[in-house]
Amino acid sequence: MVSRGSEVQPSAVRHSAPQKAAGRGPRRGVGRLAGLGAGGAALLVLLTGCDVGKTFDGFGWPQNGITPQANKMYDLWIASTIAALAVGIFVWGLIFWCVIRYRKRGEELPVQTRFNMPMEFLYTIAPILVVAVLFYYTAIVQTNVDKVGKNPDVVVEVVAFKWNWQFNYRDGIGVDANTVASTTGTTEIIPVLVLPTDRTIRFEETSRDVIHSFWVPQMLFKRDVFPGKARNVFEVTNLQTEGAWVGRCAELCGTYHSMMNFELRAVTPEKYDRFVAAKRDGMTTQAALESIGEAPYATTTHPFDTKRNEQNFNKTSAAGIGN
């Protein structure tokens, strides 16, 4: 039994011509499906016919990675961004369609008790599926990036300090290993970290004062360098390309943080062995680089003027204020 107050008044329901609606319904459904199919086909052609990351400048991610780990993270970033854009375009389309289709047409109140079960099922299950897929591939890439082996070919101890770097070439892993060669940066000379291509490289990081961050954008993401007994350890499978790339401290560590740069120089394994041997024989880093036919100084960055002088500290003005 239904009370009179709960009855839906005929005037409150919007009716359309039954014959026209019956004729348009199937056609509109077919048209929408055809439009979605054409749009999906166009998107597929677009994505397979060009490098999306290169076209859009990597969507902000550093391009031209030089390690397998960097390339895997780049691919995951591009795929995640495309998925996010696809979801965003779909949601924006629904919003604008609803705004236009169900805009106000008079003073009649629309029916308030309708629902669409397939649509509710879609917007409940679809986000769960999207998150599950992204989580799966993220876990795979993260496991690969954080994987550390037992017998790396090269071990480098990265020592950070205010405001420069020291790179120690070690004969084994862990704190008990010995340093066989070392490179230390100064205010006048940018430190050059020489590493071989096609070899597994292990980095062991430590800081002499505060937290710093070791970062070569084309090699891997930022790795914090902690003071004390904590040693941040990671590996790269190999450097795939010879060349030089700038490295930076990516953690705000004090006054000259922005000037705390270094250079990664990737050379052939044969050149790397000769470089380490030259360092063992007492050569400076610059002389050792010249002995293997490499530029003796950094080519991707340069020393900064620290402006450590009397004028920088403004002593004259300070004296005037005191008087």
Side-chain angles (χ1 to χ4, degrees):
M1 183 175 180
V2 182
S3 63
R4 291 181 177 272
S6 61
E7 293 181 358
V8 179
Q9 298 298 326
S11 60
V13 182
R14 183 182 297 115
H15 295 282
S16 59
Q19 294 181 353
K20 292 183 179 180
R24 292 179 182 177
R27 294 180 181 177
R28 287 184 176 179
V30 172
R32 289 171 184 169
L33 289 176
L36 289 175
L43 180 62
L44 181 62
V45 172
L46 174 64
L47 297 182
T48 56
C50 65
D51 186 341
V52 178
K54 185 177 181 179
T55 302
F56 294 96
D57 197 23
F59 294 111
W61 191 277
Q63 300 183 74
N64 304 318
I66 59 175
T67 63
Q69 288 79 5
N71 292 324
K72 288 181 182 295
M73 291 188 296
Y74 175 79
D75 292 340
L76 177 63
W77 171 257
I78 297 299
S80 301
T81 303
I82 292 175
L85 289 173
V87 172
I89 292 172
F90 177 71
V91 172
W92 294 332
L94 287 179
I95 291 174
F96 290 124
W97 181 77
C98 290
V99 169
I100 296 172
R101 174 66 178 80
Y102 299 106
R103 67 189 184 277
K104 184 177 179 180
R105 296 185 179 90
E107 300 300 329
E108 295 181 357
L109 181 66
V111 178
Q112 304 295 300
T113 57
R114 290 181 181 174
F115 62 91
N116 189 316
M117 185 61 70
M119 184 62 70
E120 293 185 12
F121 182 81
L122 174 65
Y123 66 62
T124 301
I125 299 302
I128 296 177
L129 294 177
V130 171
V131 171
V133 171
L134 290 177
F135 178 83
Y136 172 75
Y137 286 105
T138 300
I140 290 178
V141 173
Q142 179 177 314
T143 301
N144 178 271
V145 169
D146 289 335
K147 185 178 180 181
V148 177
K150 295 182 179 179
N151 297 300
D153 299 319
V154 177
V155 180
V156 177
E157 182 183 45
V158 177
V159 182
F161 58 92
K162 292 182 179 180
W163 282 275
N164 223 307
W165 303 89
Q166 181 181 26
F167 303 118
N168 299 324
Y169 301 90
R170 312 275 278 179
D171 61 2
I173 63 176
V175 294
D176 296 329
N178 298 312
T179 298
V180 298
S182 183
T183 295
T184 305
T186 66
T187 304
E188 293 77 22
I189 299 177
I190 295 291
V192 178
L193 172 59
V194 180
L195 293 174
T197 58
D198 301 322
R199 289 186 182 179
T200 303
I201 304 169
R202 179 187 180 103
F203 297 85
E204 299 181 351
E205 301 177 333
T206 185
S207 172
R208 293 290 182 253
D209 34 56
V210 299
I211 297 177
H212 299 275
S213 186
F214 179 87
W215 186 37
V216 180
Q218 290 79 9
M219 184 181 73
L220 202 60
F221 61 88
K222 306 167 187 176
R223 291 283 187 166
D224 284 341
V225 187
F226 301 105
K229 296 182 179 180
R231 293 174 73 87
N232 196 353
V233 177
F234 67 96
E235 290 184 6
V236 295
T237 307
N238 62 79
L239 298 176
Q240 301 171 320
T241 306
E242 296 179 39
W245 296 269
V246 64
R248 310 181 187 280
C249 174
E251 183 76 22
L252 182 59
C253 56
T255 304
Y256 299 103
H257 156 73
S258 63
M259 306 177 187
M260 192 172 166
N261 291 353
F262 64 95
E263 180 173 283
L264 169 64
R265 190 81 60 86
V267 298
T268 63
E270 184 269 336
K271 281 188 175 183
Y272 170 78
D273 293 336
R274 288 167 47 200
F275 171 81
V276 174
K279 290 287 292 179
R280 282 179 173 175
D281 292 339
M283 285 189 182
T284 64
T285 299
Q286 286 66 46
L289 283 169
E290 286 185 315
S291 70
I292 62 173
E294 291 287 326
Y297 296 97
T299 59
T300 60
T301 183
H302 57 84
F304 293 85
D305 183 6
T306 60
K307 300 179 181 179
R308 294 179 180 177
N309 52 46
E310 183 175 346
Q311 183 178 1
N312 175 251
F313 290 98
N314 205 16
K315 288 186 176 181
T316 304
S317 298
I321 294 175
N323 294 334

